[in-house]
Amino acid sequence: MSFQAYLDNIQSKTGKTAEDLQKLAQEKGFLKDGKLMAEVKAGQIVSWLKDEYNLGHGHAMAIYAYFKGKRS
């Protein structure tokens, strides 16, 4: 599955784009000025996305990668 397919599936499942989730992550204190905070670990992002949006591990990791700057 391509990275974009992961993002498309996440949007279908949650109703939120990767950009939406990035804004929510910033509100939660995981990001500052759109950048992932150095002390934030993948497990924290994965737990949040699993708990609040019922995402699986792979989809949550795709969002973590998006937060780290991956776009394709």
Side-chain angles (χ1 to χ4, degrees), residues 8-52:
D8 292 343
N9 286 338
I10 291 164
Q11 184 174 357
S12 293
K13 183 170 183 140
T14 67
K16 306 239 182 277
T17 64
E19 294 85 7
D20 294 336
L21 292 170
Q22 189 169 20
K23 289 175 190 167
L24 292 168
Q26 182 145 333
E27 291 172 10
K28 290 190 101 23
F30 294 136
L31 293 95
K32 182 174 181 174
D33 299 326
K35 305 267 187 203
L36 192 64
M37 305 277 286
E39 65 272 11
V40 175
K41 304 298 180 206
Q44 292 171 273
I45 301 295
V46 169
S47 291
W48 166 57
L49 293 169
K50 284 181 174 184
D51 292 345
E52 290 195 28

Side-chain angles (χ1 to χ4, degrees), residues 4 6-7 18 20-21 25 33-34 45 48 53-54 63 69:
Q4 187 59 51
Y6 270 97
L7 298 181
D20 294 336
L21 292 170
D33 299 326
I45 301 295
W48 166 57
Y53 298 100
N54 201 32
I63 293 296

